[in-house]
């Protein structure tokens, strides 16, 4: 979970540097996307455990 969020944070930081974003917009968008994907993975794993 932490790795996914950190990877998306690094992607956003790289995009901000590449496109010269002033207010770190890409970092914010990518980090939120990473959080969303991580939460989806956790919910999916919990549902699998409940089905067993």
């Amino acid at each position: 979970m932490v790795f996914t969020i950190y990877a998306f944070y690094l992607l956003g930081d790289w995009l901000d540097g590449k496109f010269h974003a002033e207010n770190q917009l890409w970092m914010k968008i990518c980090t939120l996307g990473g959080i969303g994907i991580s939460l989806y993975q956790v919910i999916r794993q919990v549902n699998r455990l409940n089905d067993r």
Side-chain angles (χ1 to χ4, degrees), residues 5-48:
I5 296 170
Y6 185 65
F8 274 85
Y9 165 79
L10 289 177
L11 173 66
D13 193 39
W14 178 78
L15 287 171
D16 281 336
K18 182 155 180 78
F19 295 115
H20 305 292
E22 296 176 7
N23 57 359
Q24 298 179 331
L25 180 64
W26 286 110
M27 187 266 305
K28 294 173 186 175
I29 290 171
C30 289
T31 302
L32 286 174
I35 291 170
I37 290 170
S38 294
L39 286 175
Y40 173 75
Q41 290 174 345
V42 168
I43 291 169
R44 190 176 62 173
Q45 289 174 358
V46 169
N47 284 336
R48 281 187 192 168

